[in-house]
Amino acid sequence: FPKEIIEIIFDYLKTGSFWINTKKISNPKVEINRHGILHGVYTNFESKELALKYLLLLNSLYLILLNDKMIKLSL
């Protein structure tokens, strides 16, 4: 798994809209925000763009975890 991609994903998690306060989200149909969705703050937020962003983020995190597991098992 390319190190550059891992850095981009973790940088997004640190500085992107995922962890910021829900009140700071300007457009919940475009910005991924964990709190807004999990706690029901947002309603009618569904969009193809947002679904694709969540899918890419979850898939990327899965690949990072899989890569980490493969490295640990090969040691």
Side-chain angles (χ1 to χ4, degrees):
F1 201 76
K3 182 181 178 188
E4 296 81 17
I5 301 298
I6 293 172
E7 289 172 356
I8 290 170
I9 294 165
F10 284 132
D11 183 56
Y12 170 75
L13 288 173
K14 281 191 250 178
T15 62
S17 60
F18 191 73
W19 293 109
I20 66 171
N21 188 307
T22 305
K23 293 176 185 175
K24 294 181 181 178
I25 298 294
S26 60
N27 188 352
K29 289 189 181 230
V30 178
E31 298 177 76
I32 295 176
N33 182 258
R34 169 204 67 84
H35 183 264
I37 300 224
L38 291 177
H39 296 287
V41 175
Y42 299 152
T43 58
N44 300 320
F45 61 86
E46 299 88 353
S47 71
K48 290 180 182 179
E49 181 180 352
L50 195 58
L52 182 58
K53 286 180 179 181
Y54 274 108
L55 181 62
L56 289 170
L57 178 61
L58 291 173
N59 191 52
S60 298
L61 293 173
Y62 162 75
L63 290 172
I64 289 171
L65 292 172
L66 179 63
N67 185 61
D68 186 55
K69 188 172 186 175
M70 289 170 55
I71 290 171
K72 286 181 181 177
L73 291 176
S74 67
L75 293 177

